[in-house]
Amino acid sequence: MKVVFYSTNSNIFNPQTFKITVLPANKEQFESFQKKYPEHSFTFVTQLPLMFMPENSIVLDQNLSYKEVAQKIISLKPDLAIALSFWVNPYDWLSVNDALIKNELEKNGIKTLCNLLSSSLICFDKYKTHQFLELNGFNIPKAVFVDHDLYFCAGSHKEVIHNVYKDSILSQIQELKLPLIIKDTVGLSSYGMTVVHTYGEAMGYLNSKRNNSNRIVEEYITGEHFGLEVYRAKNDFVVLDPYRFSLNQYGITSPKQSSKEGPVKDAKYKINALKKEIKKLARLLDIQTLCQVDLIYSNRKWYIIEINPRLSGMSFMYAKSYNKTLYDLIWETCVRGKKSPYKKAPDLWCKDIKLEVQTDEKLNEIRKLGCVKLLNQSNDMAAKQEREKGFCECIILGTKEEIQETLEKIKKITG
């Protein structure tokens, strides 16, 4: 069978100023996967920056539309196409673009494993996500949607004395329990989120220039933050064990700073009940490949905070915790429909930490540590501020004692 893995990027990417380093390299990981399936041929088609893709991929021009990308894939005459959708800032919408390509490929008779356009659009817009979850009875925080244009519409009409829409929004917000979290409805992850502790702070934010697009104002649920991924396996779903996320000083999971650890299996969290809920979620969304879900556990309840129908910051972590490549996980579940690979995971602890950007020499030194399974570094060499230069993700697998020893060794290497 001839298989094409594909992904796209809507943003400009300059490899001269932005460097991504993965150790072991994606090419090396793919070769390990390919050896298991010599009867199939695999091709990778993508646009920079080669996220999750081997270095020998077919790299398309960044200006190509989704229809032009689809035509490039069609010209390869694959029997099967599989999307490896990723994310970009400021808009987490690449799964939407890859779904448009899926539609074009299927019009041409090419079987394509990719999440649907409908589910991608629901998950892209946080308010649509909120409505979907509320309609289907999932636990979610109470929230108010703020239409940016309506909130400021009276400013251009001198005859308007009161902006009734604005008054109604502020009235509804005062019915929410403090503190509150204010989110861009289409922003990536927690970028741009703000936590406010008074109604005055909320009003000040919404009346300021920082309110420059649609917003959703939610009750901030205090509790433990987790994430997990769910994979489609033919007519069923495989829900992986949740991992605990750390929070920054604002009580938010920061993509550049947060650490993850697990798998969490403590009976008090009622993991089996959670997995049933996530299966229900995946079924209602008709997830075709995989998605990642952000969760909060509070007062003995699980709350769904966000759904990402794409690969995530957890994907490499799950693969390494099962001693597999990411390609193995996708192939064995989404293509072959197997569940057994997940049941054979070693009973070890996995920790994902964020380090500052490291030199190539230090990366190689860290990689040699026995418990370090993967390094994934993003380095914006054009950034002027140190905090904007990027970070290095380090995935460690072992007993808790081995992980602690490894963390101490990493600290010595990085200084």
Side-chain angles (χ1 to χ4, degrees), residues 1-8 33 42 45 53 73 78-86 94-95 97-107 109-117 119-120 231-237 286-291 309-311 326-338:
M1 182 163 59
K2 190 172 184 179
V3 182
V4 169
F5 288 95
Y6 76 91
S7 62
T8 54
F33 161 73
F42 300 97
V45 177
M53 297 290 204
I73 297 172
D79 301 298
L80 174 66
I82 304 172
L84 297 181
S85 305
F86 59 100
L94 297 187
S95 60
N97 201 54
D98 290 344
L100 290 170
I101 292 170
K102 167 189 170 71
N103 292 346
E104 293 296 312
L105 296 179
E106 292 186 337
K107 286 177 187 176
I110 298 171
K111 183 180 178 181
T112 306
L113 294 180
C114 173
N115 285 324
L116 303 175
L117 180 60
S119 56
S120 295
Y231 286 67
R232 181 148 194 160
K234 293 291 176 72
N235 295 322
D236 200 357
F237 296 94
D286 198 11
I287 292 299
Q288 299 292 299
T289 52
L290 65 104
C291 74
R310 52 162 171 76
L311 295 169
L326 181 59
Y327 314 116
D328 286 314
L329 293 192
I330 293 171
W331 186 263
E332 291 175 12
T333 50
C334 301
V335 179
R336 301 181 68 191
K338 292 179 64 177

Side-chain angles (χ1 to χ4, degrees), residues 124 217 271 302 310 377 398:
F124 163 57
V217 182
I271 303 297
W302 284 102
R310 52 162 171 76
Q377 177 164 286

Side-chain angles (χ1 to χ4, degrees), residues 116-135:
L116 303 175
L117 180 60
S118 56
S119 56
S120 295
L121 287 170
I122 289 171
C123 299
F124 163 57
D125 186 320
K126 290 181 176 65
Y127 183 57
K128 285 185 178 179
T129 305
H130 183 92
Q131 290 178 305
F132 169 83
L133 293 170
E134 186 175 40
L135 179 66

